[in-house]
Amino acid sequence: MGASKAGLIPRALAGWPVKDDNQVMSGHHEYRGEALADAARGALTRAGEQWTEMRALIFDALARTRGPASAYDIADAVSKTRGKRVAPNSVYRILDLFVDNNLAKRVETQNAYVANAHPDCVHDCIFLICDDCGAITHLDDDELANSMRSRALDTGFRPANPVMEVRGTCKSCAA
Amino acid sequence: MGASKAGLIPRALAGWPVKDDNQVMSGHHEYRGEALADAARGALTRAGEQWTEMRALIFDALARTRGPASAYDIADAVSKTRGKRVAPNSVYRILDLFVDNNLAKRVETQNAYVANAHPDCVHDCIFLICDDCGAITHLDDDELANSMRSRALDTGFRPANPVMEVRGTCKSCAA
DNA sequence: GATGGCGGAGATATAGTGTATCATTCGCAC
DNA sequence: GTGCGAATGATACACTATATCTCCGCCATC
């Protein structure tokens, strides 16, 4: 869909910190709760974008949600918390902005989004998605990601945005 | 629809399937054209499923398409070739059957499907998807796939279906 | 040949996801 | 104040996916 279809502008080509050999950088810190919102605001403003009331509300809704949230889920949640309807397209606009600026990640196999726990640094992330309970685990494995990029480069393909998502059963559901 | 909706280059210009020189698979064979349909029919019937007229038409439409085809693309194509409308839900039913039996693969980031060039053997496959022209290259790299499965297992997650898709720019579009 | 079960396909409706377009509001520079 | 641009609102629409019920053809059985 959407972000991936018309929003086809490869992120790495849109100015993400990707090294010359097309391998992303590493080293990072994870945030939670209020600190996460602060980190997100900082990252967005440093990118020259505004941190508006609406954006704060949407980021908050995203960060509160355990597991992935669809744009429509977020629209409903924010509509409720502020007492006035938010149209889904407004949510999409802001989610796209978040994804472009590394504040959020899109989960392709779920048509959904998750907040990025470390907006400061860029990784090709791996999602482990439980088909039973819907829980999502977010891994960063630069070695694996770089293997995938290398593999693509070997064929002459210039990788921009690797998607690595594993459907299966999480630890607690498998027990 | 995937590529067509985004106003990308028509699929006819995209090179699919692409057999890459560095693709090393033991004991598997890729099929094309009539032989591919035969292989698909064989695989499906061996699984105890019927190879009906409708299924043959849909597989043919899928195999003819260069690049990914959405269920609606296929519904249109088959409707045209047989002169009678095929409802999308019928197409979905059959595509699901194909995916379950390894005759086709779903491209998650495109909401689309591609025929599997070697229905006889199962791999976790990797798609390289060109954001410019829509072309899809299908790699099988068991080593990489197994690394990803191992990485998931390390965390206690039981992997079932790894999705590995790389968005970027293909060799000819990058040139 | 009639009957009944079963799988495949058709028809229709609806839910869920994503985009396009234009209007409105608001803050800010001039 | 005026004008401009960014952000959001409102609306409509397109695309993707599923649910449900019906109908048809096949075939085993009687």
Side-chain angles (χ1 to χ4, degrees):
Chain A
M1 75 9 269
S4 42
K5 235 177 254 165
L8 282 185
I9 315 307
R11 276 83 149 147
L13 301 181
W16 273 22
V18 173
K19 295 192 293 185
D20 287 345
D21 57 355
N22 223 324
Q23 310 229 316
V24 296
M25 306 158 139
S26 48
H28 80 243
H29 185 266
E30 295 207 354
Y31 301 93
R32 305 187 60 135
E34 202 59 38
L36 176 54
D38 286 346
R41 176 169 44 74
L44 201 56
T45 53
R46 272 194 301 281
E49 299 285 353
Q50 301 176 33
W51 183 254
T52 66
E53 177 73 13
M54 191 75 252
R55 292 174 184 183
L57 285 172
I58 287 180
F59 187 84
D60 185 61
L62 190 60
R64 281 179 195 285
T65 304
R66 301 187 326 179
S70 77
Y72 283 74
D73 291 339
I74 294 172
D76 289 345
V78 174
S79 296
K80 207 164 294 180
T81 61
R82 72 163 201 168
K84 187 187 173 193
R85 181 185 121 91
V86 182
N89 64 343
S90 294
V91 177
Y92 274 107
R93 267 194 299 246
I94 292 176
L95 287 175
D96 286 347
L97 180 76
F98 286 175
V99 170
D100 285 345
N101 289 279
N102 202 35
L103 274 62
K105 299 278 190 177
R106 179 174 161 83
V107 185
E108 294 291 343
T109 62
Q110 303 271 77
N111 299 324
Y113 299 82
V114 295
N116 183 356
H118 40 88
D120 300 325
C121 59
V122 177
H123 296 276
D124 296 328
C125 62
I126 303 170
F127 291 121
L128 309 181
I129 303 157
C130 180
D131 286 329
D132 284 358
C133 69
I136 287 198
T137 303
H138 173 177
L139 302 179
D140 289 303
D141 186 327
D142 291 337
E143 186 184 341
L144 192 48
N146 287 333
S147 296
M148 183 117 89
R149 284 176 176 269
S150 300
R151 190 72 182 76
L153 282 165
D154 290 345
T155 74
F157 187 92
R158 197 172 58 181
N161 178 31
V163 173
M164 298 172 285
E165 302 181 5
V166 186
R167 311 294 298 254
T169 311
C170 73
K171 195 173 191 173
S172 40
C173 288
Chain B
M1 338 161 171
S4 54
K5 171 180 164 196
L8 299 175
I9 303 301
R11 295 184 182 106
L13 301 182
W16 183 89
V18 175
K19 169 72 174 172
D20 289 287
D21 41 347
N22 49 6
Q23 181 171 332
V24 182
M25 295 311 327
S26 56
H28 97 196
H29 184 266
E30 295 206 352
Y31 302 93
R32 305 188 60 138
E34 202 61 38
L36 176 54
D38 286 346
R41 177 170 42 73
L44 200 56
T45 52
R46 273 194 300 281
E49 300 285 352
Q50 300 176 34
W51 184 255
T52 65
E53 177 73 11
M54 191 76 250
R55 291 173 186 184
L57 285 172
I58 287 179
F59 188 84
D60 185 61
L62 189 60
R64 280 182 195 283
T65 304
R66 296 180 170 276
S70 78
Y72 283 73
D73 291 341
I74 294 172
D76 289 346
V78 174
S79 295
K80 206 164 295 180
T81 61
R82 72 163 204 171
K84 187 187 172 194
R85 182 185 122 90
V86 182
N89 63 344
S90 294
V91 176
Y92 273 108
R93 264 193 302 245
I94 292 176
L95 286 175
D96 288 346
L97 180 76
F98 286 175
V99 170
D100 286 345
N101 289 278
N102 203 37
L103 273 61
K105 300 277 190 178
R106 179 175 162 82
V107 185
E108 294 290 342
T109 62
Q110 304 271 77
N111 299 322
Y113 299 82
V114 296
N116 184 356
H118 41 85
D120 300 324
C121 58
V122 177
H123 297 275
D124 297 327
C125 63
I126 303 171
F127 292 119
L128 308 181
I129 303 157
C130 180
D131 287 328
D132 284 357
C133 70
I136 287 198
T137 303
H138 173 177
L139 303 180
D140 289 304
D141 186 328
D142 291 338
E143 185 184 341
L144 193 48
N146 288 333
S147 296
M148 185 124 94
R149 285 176 176 270
S150 300
R151 190 71 183 75
L153 282 166
D154 290 346
T155 73
F157 187 91
R158 200 172 54 184
N161 177 32
V163 172
M164 297 173 285
E165 302 181 6
V166 185
R167 312 294 298 254
T169 311
C170 74
K171 195 172 190 171
S172 41
C173 288

